[in-house]
Amino acid sequence: MDDRWLSFGLNKWILKICILIASISNASSLNIEKIDHVFHYIDNMYVEGPPSDHTESALSGILQGLDKHSSYLSIRDAEFLKMLTQGGFVGIGVSVKLNNQKLIITAVLPNSPASETSIQPGNIITHIDDNPVDPNNILTNISLIRGPINSVTQIRLEGVKKAIPVIRKKIDLQEIQYNKMPNNLGYIKINLFNQDTLQELKYALTHLADTEALIIDLRTNPGGLLFSSIQATALFLDTKEYPGGDITHVVSRHDHVQIPLPKDTLDQSHHKPIYILTSSATASGAEIFAATLKHYKRATLIGTTTNGKGTIQTLLPLDDGSMIKLTTAYFTTPSGSTINGVGVVPHYEILPNDPALLPKVVKIIRHNLNSTETYP
């Protein structure tokens, strides 16, 4: 017997046994006979001959069928995701998103290899080296952009004839960027909530302590670690002012847990006015941050309605080092209102790519600082 058939046969039965065990508590959720029927056709009729292992593709299909945020992560993808949450990677220094099956560059990190080329936010990547982008899996595309340090990748952009060569370098993620603006305003951009965000945010607030108001930019923040976003949110709230207050509610299949403000929390911004910039790319933990500060009237939101990704994914390790990313809960506003599929609506609507966005924001801030009116 061909070893490939033996391998496929073993993996086929292992997969069916795993599926059967997983479905014991809900036998109607899977039709084992139908799955066996499909495997029979693959065994005998698939044009390319016996596949070596369909376990990963089968798991991917099962998880993708649950919702758009649950997925199977190969060992490579799992390692990359862990590295992102720890704050650094080898790459070219761009942030990307999949939108309508197109890979769009949302940001180019300053002082990165990509910043030294003609690559700009808004560009659409069509190929990474000779590989067409995967229209359905952003981690596959990100993994292709990554590679050995000092190696060269060829990035092809839609509408650009020649590929753009970029040298991969070690990228230390700047979770926080900040600077002082005219009109005595402080600007903080939070790119991602990960392990380093809390300390970097405290550092930024210290250096902007003498400013009159803060602009916090979450326009391209996809979220990150739930606990990190909760910690960051608490930096702008006083427990004594909001006794019994919550930051969010986490609603799983079996539990409804209220996440309270930490005890003895003090507002690290010294109660200065906060203006949060939002867009449709503001997602997940960034929506908790925006929704909570809006709820307690600690911040005025400017931009467009946020993404509406009000779900929590848990990374569950498998024995071989791969993982599944499984949607395990919803999160809400402090009052229990739904965020998933709804988003957080700003007080003032300005398109996030408006070239005059910051001048308009400054005008709103100056008006509010000089007015005795408060936003409801």
Side-chain angles (χ1 to χ4, degrees), residues 94-98 103-108 120-123 189 220 281:
V94 295
S95 298
V96 294
K97 69 175 181 179
L98 276 176
L103 189 65
I104 302 171
I105 295 173
T106 58
V108 177
Q120 298 290 328
N123 288 156
K189 180 174 176 59
T220 58

Side-chain angles (χ1 to χ4, degrees), residues 65-360:
L66 297 176
D67 65 82
K68 64 181 180 179
H69 301 299
S70 294
S71 62
Y72 169 77
L73 303 179
S74 66
I75 296 172
R76 180 186 65 179
D77 289 345
E79 288 298 321
F80 175 69
L81 191 59
K82 285 190 290 184
M83 186 168 54
L84 270 183
T85 61
Q86 291 167 0
F89 61 95
V90 174
I92 64 173
V94 295
S95 298
V96 294
K97 69 175 181 179
L98 276 176
N99 188 21
N100 295 326
Q101 297 191 312
K102 291 188 175 184
L103 189 65
I104 302 171
I105 295 173
T106 58
V108 177
L109 298 181
N111 304 315
S112 68
S115 71
E116 299 173 2
T117 72
S118 59
I119 294 174
Q120 298 290 328
N123 288 156
I124 297 171
I125 300 176
T126 61
H127 292 74
I128 303 159
D129 295 318
D130 294 324
N131 305 292
V133 300
D134 186 326
N136 300 309
N137 190 333
I138 193 167
L139 286 176
T140 298
N141 298 311
I142 293 173
S143 296
L144 289 172
I145 294 173
R146 289 182 58 234
I149 193 167
N150 294 326
S151 62
V152 177
T153 182
Q154 302 285 338
I155 302 296
R156 289 191 174 274
L157 303 176
E158 187 174 273
V160 179
K161 291 183 178 180
K162 290 186 177 181
I164 301 172
V166 192
I167 301 174
R168 298 180 177 101
K169 297 289 184 182
K170 176 70 167 60
I171 306 293
D172 291 319
L173 277 179
Q174 290 182 293
E175 293 83 6
I176 304 291
Q177 296 163 270
Y178 69 91
N179 62 276
K180 291 184 179 180
M181 296 176 58
N183 295 287
N184 198 29
L185 302 177
Y187 173 87
I188 300 174
K189 180 174 176 59
I190 307 178
N191 295 304
L192 182 73
F193 292 102
N194 68 16
Q195 291 179 356
D196 300 326
T197 303
L198 183 66
Q199 287 306 120
E200 292 199 16
L201 187 52
K202 286 180 178 178
Y203 187 82
L205 290 173
T206 299
H207 283 259
L208 298 173
D210 59 348
T211 55
E212 193 175 359
L214 293 174
I215 299 171
I216 299 180
D217 193 344
L218 300 179
R219 284 175 294 170
T220 58
N221 187 316
L225 297 177
L226 176 66
F227 186 60
S228 174
S229 67
I230 290 172
Q231 287 180 314
T233 304
L235 286 182
F236 300 92
L237 297 167
D238 277 354
T239 307
K240 291 181 180 178
E241 290 189 21
Y242 312 104
D246 296 325
I247 289 181
T248 185
H249 297 185
V250 176
V251 184
S252 66
R253 178 189 278 184
H254 303 294
D255 293 302
H256 183 144
V257 179
Q258 295 172 238
I259 309 297
L261 289 172
K263 291 182 179 179
D264 303 321
T265 295
L266 296 175
D267 186 339
Q268 301 295 305
S269 70
H270 305 291
H271 305 276
K272 57 170 57 80
I274 297 170
Y275 294 81
I276 297 176
L277 306 186
T278 64
S279 77
S280 61
T282 306
S284 194
E287 293 179 275
I288 290 177
F289 186 98
T292 304
L293 296 187
K294 178 185 180 183
H295 172 82
Y296 291 111
K297 298 183 179 179
R298 253 321 267 121
T300 300
L301 275 53
I302 303 174
T304 54
T305 300
T306 62
N307 184 270
K309 183 191 171 295
T311 58
I312 296 169
Q313 283 67 49
T314 302
L315 294 175
L316 301 168
L318 303 176
D319 289 342
D320 64 352
S322 60
M323 290 183 173
I324 63 171
K325 181 159 64 97
L326 189 67
T327 299
T328 53
Y330 296 99
F331 61 81
T332 74
T333 67
S335 63
S337 298
T338 298
I339 290 177
N340 195 52
V342 177
V344 184
V345 179
H347 297 106
Y348 297 93
E349 184 162 341
I350 301 177
L351 294 177
N353 57 354
D354 187 328
L357 181 140
L358 281 178
K360 289 180 179 179

Side-chain angles (χ1 to χ4, degrees), residues 50-61:
S52 60
D53 189 352
H54 265 202
T55 305
E56 293 206 351
S57 58
L59 289 174
S60 294

